[in-house]
Every structure is written in C-alpha cells, then in structure tokens.
Amino acid sequence: MNYKSILKQNQLPLLLIALTFPVSVTASSLHATTEVSITQQKRAISGVVFDGGMNEPLIGANVVIKGTTNGTVTDLDGKFTLEANPNDILVISSIGFKTLEIKASEASKGKITLKEDSQALDEVVVIGYGVQKKANLTGSVASMKAEAIESRPVSSVSAALAGQMPGVTAIQSTGKPGEQTGTITIRGKNSVNAASPLVIVDGVPGSMNTIDPADIESLNVLKDASSAAIYGVQAANGVILITTKKGKKGEKANVNYLGSVGWSTPTMRPKFLGSADYAMLYNEATLNDNPNNPLRFTEQDIELYRNGSDPYGHPNTDWYEETMNKNAIETMHHLGISGGSEKNKL
C-alpha cells in the first residue's frame, strides 16, 4: 500500500475531526453568551407594603421570589429591596393577611396593599411578646376597638368597658357628677387584697383612670393564665392591654374635637326621718334590746323635736332635698392634636 492509498483511506476521518472541533467551540460560546444575558437582567427591586385595613406601612412582611428561598422582610416603613428578574413572581405574606403574588416589575410602581384575612379562626391575638391564633384562645381574649369606645359618651375607660365583654365586670364606685371611675374584675374576684387586673399602657404598667378614652386605639383583655403567663404573678387577676393613638409618618397636623352634653337624674332619692321620728325609733330599739334599759329620749324631748322648739337645735331639715338637683347638666370635651414626620409622631 503506497502513500496515496493510505491518504485516501484516512481522508474521511480527518474531515470528520476537522468538522467536529469548530462545532464544539460554537456551542460553548453560545452557552456562555446566554449566562451573561440572564445575569444582566437581574436588578434591585424596591417596593412598599401597606396594611389594607389601617392603611399603614406593614412591618415584617415576608417577600420571597416564588419557587426559591431568596427573600427579605419589610422594614419599619414597610419598604423592601430584593435582587430579582423583572419577570419573577414575588410572594408577599404576613400573619393575619392574605398572601399576594405580584410581578417584580409591578412591585416598584406603587404601594402594595395586603388585605386582611376575614376568617375568624385565623385571626391572631397579641399575648405578651408574641402572637397566637384566636382559635387557640377562644373565650380567653376579648378586644375592643377605638370606634366602640368613642361611640360611648363616657369620661373613663372603666365606664366604657361596662357590659361590653363577657367575664369582665365594671362597677362604678361613686355617683359624683363628672366622676365615672370604677373597679374592674375579670372572671370574678380571685384575691381578697388584689382583685384589680394588671393594666399595661403602651408596654408600661399604668392606670386606666388617667387615660382619656378618646386617646385609645385598641384595648385587649387577657382573661386566662395561658394568655397572661408572660406577665407572671402580677397577671393573676387578668391583664388589660391598652394601645394609645399615635400620629402617622407623613400625616399632616390634625385637630380633633369630641364633645357631649347630657343630664343626670337620680334613680332613687332616699327619704330621711326627722329628729322626732329618730328619737322614737331609738327608744323602741332600746326597749327591744332590753325592756329594763332606761330610755334616752323622754316624751317631752320628742315633742320639742317635733315642734322645732328644742333648745339644742336638733335639725329637721332634709339637706339631701335642699342641696341635690333633680336634674344635673353634664358636659364632656376632648381636644386632640395628631401628626407625624420623619422624626416625630404625636
């Protein structure tokens, strides 16, 4: 076999090798180009998440790229920033709100609003430093919103709670005009010396009698040991959590006025005896105790009391009738100013 025949026999394999090499290089080049194109499409996506019910920034909402573990949470202003492809789907969720899916390219165009979950058993209740589902605390936690408090023309929180929550008893301790302070017991009196519940105002122990009902945003009553356990032995008689109203960031200064006018009428007017009748009953009680006891008042004394000629001036005037009005006018006024800026919230 000569040189020409050998070359002729190997011609085909040589051509195949020559053709194969460039194809491999071209495929590698295309693959590299595709990877660079995908990387260039990713960019920082920013947005703001709002609470649909309160129309306030939602803190701590989860923002995750669908199908991945890449995500972040919203800050104190409800803002988030995430590296994502404009075509990626962002899954935004938070406890107590319906999950929302939105394109990354749409997230930065305006505010994102999450709607509240209307299912009652999925509602969450704040207990101490955490939250639990309302289904796990049925009957042990009661809530009252600002609208319910403002609709009652009362000057104290204890009066606003009267008859509003099961297991919570509010008793007015005085009938003085304009004074409606009272005592509150939760599920009965648990201690002889300490029947009052623990009151927490904006995270600090306080008193309900020093708060204007118009300043309350929400009021929660923790009625059993499981919900109030975080507060220790102080919560033996229950816990009342009060959150006061605060200004919102960017809110213009608002001046609010609430006023009411009414009148009070006593449901029962006590009837008092005169000095002569008192002396007669006192003598009768003395004889009932022991017939041999000497009487304190004589018949002559009683007659002097009756005709008003008593030298000692024993009174027959009904001072309750003289001093108390049948109808008393009551007025209540509340003036509040609220607003917010980047640094301050009133």
Side-chain angles (χ1 to χ4, degrees):
M1 184 179 294
N2 57 21
Y3 175 79
K4 291 182 179 182
S5 62
I6 294 174
L7 181 61
K8 187 175 182 181
Q9 291 177 358
N10 294 319
Q11 186 174 3
L12 183 58
L14 288 173
L15 290 174
L16 289 174
I17 293 172
L19 292 173
T20 302
F21 180 74
V23 171
S24 177
V25 172
T26 304
S28 177
S29 300
L30 290 173
H31 180 67
T33 304
T34 305
E35 288 183 349
V36 172
S37 176
I38 293 174
T39 303
Q40 290 176 347
Q41 290 180 2
K42 286 189 177 181
R43 60 186 179 87
I45 303 296
S46 298
V48 184
V49 181
F50 278 79
D51 177 352
M54 304 294 294
N55 196 26
E56 294 181 349
L58 192 58
I59 303 171
N62 297 317
V63 183
V64 181
I65 300 176
K66 188 174 183 179
T68 70
T69 58
N70 299 329
T72 184
V73 295
T74 56
D75 59 14
L76 296 176
D77 298 322
K79 297 179 180 179
F80 70 90
T81 301
L82 183 65
E83 290 285 338
N85 188 307
N87 293 324
D88 287 340
I89 302 297
L90 301 184
V91 180
I92 305 173
S93 61
S94 183
I95 297 176
F97 296 88
K98 294 182 179 180
T99 301
L100 176 67
E101 295 186 2
I102 187 174
K103 259 191 173 184
S105 58
E106 299 292 329
S108 59
K109 291 184 177 180
K111 69 178 184 180
I112 303 168
T113 302
L114 294 187
K115 296 181 179 180
E116 294 183 353
D117 195 343
S118 59
Q119 296 182 2
L121 293 181
D122 288 337
E123 292 179 359
V124 295
V125 179
V126 178
I127 52 168
Y129 301 110
V131 296
Q132 285 192 19
K133 284 189 176 181
K134 192 173 184 179
N136 300 332
L137 298 170
T138 302
S140 63
V141 177
S143 300
M144 195 173 184
K145 297 296 184 182
E147 293 78 8
I149 298 175
E150 292 174 355
S151 63
R152 309 192 70 187
V154 293
S155 59
S156 68
V157 181
S158 57
L161 286 177
Q164 296 299 304
M165 297 180 180
V168 179
T169 304
I171 301 176
Q172 187 171 338
S173 57
T174 177
K176 294 179 181 179
E179 186 175 345
Q180 299 182 9
T181 59
T183 58
I184 293 179
T185 56
I186 298 175
R187 289 187 174 176
K189 195 170 184 178
N190 301 324
S191 173
V192 176
N193 297 321
S196 299
L198 175 65
V199 179
I200 304 295
V201 182
D202 291 333
V204 180
S207 172
M208 292 185 301
N209 297 327
T210 59
I211 303 174
D212 191 328
D215 291 333
I216 296 178
E217 180 68 28
S218 64
L219 187 148
N220 297 292
V221 179
L222 312 183
K223 296 185 285 185
D224 71 347
S226 63
S227 60
I230 190 68
Y231 298 102
V233 70
Q234 291 179 305
N237 299 295
V239 181
I240 298 178
L241 303 177
I242 298 177
T243 303
T244 58
K245 296 178 181 179
K246 297 179 178 63
K248 302 174 184 177
K249 181 180 177 181
E251 180 184 15
K252 295 182 179 179
N254 293 323
V255 179
N256 301 315
Y257 171 78
L258 295 175
S260 64
V261 179
W263 64 89
S264 298
T265 302
T267 57
M268 183 188 71
R269 299 175 67 87
K271 295 181 179 180
F272 297 98
L273 297 175
S275 55
D277 295 326
Y278 171 80
M280 291 176 60
L281 292 175
Y282 191 94
N283 285 344
E284 183 178 344
T286 302
L287 293 175
N288 291 335
D289 182 54
N290 188 346
N292 298 322
N293 286 338
L295 298 178
R296 180 178 178 181
F297 302 101
T298 65
E299 291 295 332
Q300 183 180 2
D301 293 334
I302 295 175
E303 185 60 30
L304 292 176
Y305 297 159
R306 194 179 304 279
N307 58 35
S309 59
D310 173 33
Y312 299 102
H314 287 82
N316 285 309
T317 304
D318 186 352
W319 291 110
Y320 188 92
E321 182 70 24
E322 296 295 329
T323 58
M324 298 296 292
N325 295 327
K326 294 182 178 180
N327 296 303
I329 300 295
E330 290 185 355
T331 62
M332 184 178 67
H333 306 278
H334 169 81
L335 182 64
I337 301 176
S338 64
S341 63
E342 293 291 337
K343 297 181 179 179
N344 297 318
K345 292 181 181 179
L346 299 177

